[in-house]
């Protein structure tokens, strides 16, 4: 399974390659450069080393400004070699020049600086801590920008910080990052893919939920609690939502037990929608959708017994399927992690059925599962 940082790093590489091709075309079209100079410049970009980076860092510091060309070279160097990032990071005052350009009035310099910071954030924890400390507030603020490239580059930089440095992540989380990411994430589908930031913001929220749920402040928790039910189950990307909700809220039983009725209904509906719309577990997306749907349903039943009636009503009225048919659909997913979740979910269902006047003593016999298949799946999981 790809981790969030690998997804973003691949996006950054693709973006950098496209920018490189753009620059090549620009050089070809410009009358200022001959063919020999074009070749020389391209070769230079392919072979930037630590000495080149140190020279560029000292130059922009001395001039107290960086040109788009300077920043393009630095950006390319950061992507080529981690040592280039380390050299730049050790040059006092160099990063401040990039931030100065990021906050300046020139949109060209602003985008160039954002590209630089994005690739610079591929460095280790101290690098990301420094970016968060010096530029974190600007990265969060620019999530409101109407400039498409700027918003996306800021999202990628924030994701790298969140995934690499806990100290940097804490700094960014203090700057109202959660509400800004959430607004980008839950928005309606946008026809123009370039302006759709939902997946990038979702991955940022995923990283936060997996690593920093326990340190979110009361204000952020209250915000998420109030807005958790605003994501449309059919609006892509829809595979992250239940994982984010589960990791943030379901680690404390008392929080789940006090869910309001509308949130309980929403989570049951979202979970059933995910399962209904997933025919088979063909990839990471499908596994996330089904795994967390079953996990949330099981935990809601365990913490809120009265929710069982809501579950049965939703199955009957919306999906025209009974409990046996639903469980058989779940057992049709042939995946070890999923089987474990289903068995725990089934145990919670049986607890509820025991208190049901219409308890079907033959419920287990009606399930289309073979004991040996389940045991085999569990053995594969334990092995």
């Amino acid at each position: 399974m790809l981790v969030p940082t690998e997804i973003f790093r691949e996006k950054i590489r693709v973006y950098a390659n496209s920018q490189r091709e753009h620059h090549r075309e620009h050089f070809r079209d410009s009358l200022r450069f001959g063919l020999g100079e074009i070749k020389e410049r391209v070769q230079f970009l392919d072979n930037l080393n630590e000495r080149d980076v140190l020279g560029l860092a000292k130059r922009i510091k001395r001039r107290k400004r960086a040109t788009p060309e300077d920043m393009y070279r630095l950006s390319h160097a950061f992507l080529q070699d981690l040592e280039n990032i380390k050299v730049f990071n050790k040059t006092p005052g160099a990063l401040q020049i990039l931030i100065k350009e990021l906050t300046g009035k020139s949109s060209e310099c602003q985008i160039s600086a954002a590209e630089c910071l994005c690739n610079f954030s591929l460095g280790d924890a101290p690098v990301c801590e420094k970016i968060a400390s010096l530029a974190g507030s600007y990265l969060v603020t620019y999530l409101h920008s109407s400039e498409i490239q700027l918003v996306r580059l800021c999202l990628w930089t924030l994701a790298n910080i969140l995934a690499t440095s806990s100290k940097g992540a804490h700094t960014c989380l203090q700057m109202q990052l959660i509400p800004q990411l959430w607004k980008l994430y839950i928005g309606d589908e946008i026809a123009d893919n370039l302006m759709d930031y939902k997946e990038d913001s979702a991955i940022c929220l995923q990283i936060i939920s997996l690593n920093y749920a326990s340190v979110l402040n009361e204000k952020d928790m209250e915000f998420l609690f109030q807005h958790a039910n605003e994501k449309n189950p059919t609006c892509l990307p829809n595979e992250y939502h239940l994982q984010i909700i589960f990791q943030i809220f379901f680690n404390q039983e008392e929080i789940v037990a006090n869910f309001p009725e509308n949130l309980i209904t929403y989570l049951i509906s979202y979970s059933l929608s995910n399962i209904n719309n997933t025919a088979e577990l063909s990839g990471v997306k499908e596994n996330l959708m089904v795994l967390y749907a079953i996990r949330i349903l099981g935990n809601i039943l365990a913490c809120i017994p009265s929710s069982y009636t809501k579950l049965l009503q939703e199955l009957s009225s919306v999906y025209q399927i009974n409990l046996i048919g639903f469980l058989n659909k779940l057992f049709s997913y042939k995946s070890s992690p999923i089987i474990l979740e289903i068995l725990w979910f089934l145990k919670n269902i049986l607890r509820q059925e025991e208190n049901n006047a219409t308890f079907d003593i033959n419920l287990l016999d009606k399930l289309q599962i073979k004991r040996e298949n389940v045991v085999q799946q569990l053995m594969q999981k334990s092995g």
Side-chain angles (χ1 to χ4, degrees), residues 218-247:
E218 187 176 336
K219 191 172 182 180
D220 283 336
M221 290 293 288
E222 181 63 28
F223 175 88
L224 291 169
F225 200 73
Q226 290 178 359
H227 298 277
N229 63 350
E230 294 179 357
K231 173 71 175 172
N232 185 334
T234 62
C235 184
L236 301 176
N238 54 0
E239 67 267 29
Y240 302 100
H241 192 60
L242 293 183
Q243 181 188 32
I244 293 167
I245 296 299
F246 183 86
Q247 295 294 339

Side-chain angles (χ1 to χ4, degrees), residues 231-267:
K231 173 71 175 172
N232 185 334
T234 62
C235 184
L236 301 176
N238 54 0
E239 67 267 29
Y240 302 100
H241 192 60
L242 293 183
Q243 181 188 32
I244 293 167
I245 296 299
F246 183 86
Q247 295 294 339
I248 290 175
F249 291 121
F250 280 74
N251 57 354
Q252 298 181 54
E253 186 176 332
E254 62 273 18
I255 292 180
V256 180
N258 290 300
F259 276 175
E261 289 294 316
N262 65 329
L263 183 55
I264 296 170
T265 302
Y266 169 81
L267 290 174

Side-chain angles (χ1 to χ4, degrees), residues 113-147:
E115 290 172 357
C116 250
L117 287 176
C118 183
N119 290 355
F120 189 54
S121 69
L122 293 171
D124 53 17
V127 170
C128 289
E129 288 169 18
K130 185 182 288 189
I131 297 171
S133 175
L134 297 177
S137 61
Y138 302 118
L139 295 173
V140 175
T141 299
Y142 290 147
L143 295 180
H144 292 292
S145 175
S146 59
E147 175 55 60

Side-chain angles (χ1 to χ4, degrees), residues 37-50:
E37 191 166 355
I38 293 172
K39 184 177 180 181
E40 183 180 331
R41 290 174 71 96
V42 171
Q43 287 178 340
F44 175 74
L45 288 173
D46 285 337
N47 296 285
L48 289 165
N49 55 35
E50 295 168 49

Side-chain angles (χ1 to χ4, degrees), residues 305 308 348-360:
Y308 186 53
N348 286 312
I349 286 177
L350 291 174
R351 284 175 178 171
Q352 301 304 318
E353 282 290 324
E354 287 174 359
N355 301 320
N356 194 330
T358 60
F359 177 54
D360 185 353

Side-chain angles (χ1 to χ4, degrees), residues 84-139:
N84 290 339
I85 293 176
K86 291 179 179 179
V87 166
F88 188 85
N89 190 46
K90 291 177 182 178
T91 307
L95 180 58
Q96 284 84 341
I97 302 301
L98 296 183
I99 296 171
K100 177 183 175 183
E101 299 298 341
L102 178 71
T103 58
K105 295 181 179 180
S106 167
S107 59
E108 182 184 11
C109 287
Q110 195 172 47
I111 295 298
S112 295
E115 290 172 357
C116 250
L117 287 176
C118 183
N119 290 355
F120 189 54
S121 69
L122 293 171
D124 53 17
V127 170
C128 289
E129 288 169 18
K130 185 182 288 189
I131 297 171
S133 175
L134 297 177
S137 61
Y138 302 118
L139 295 173

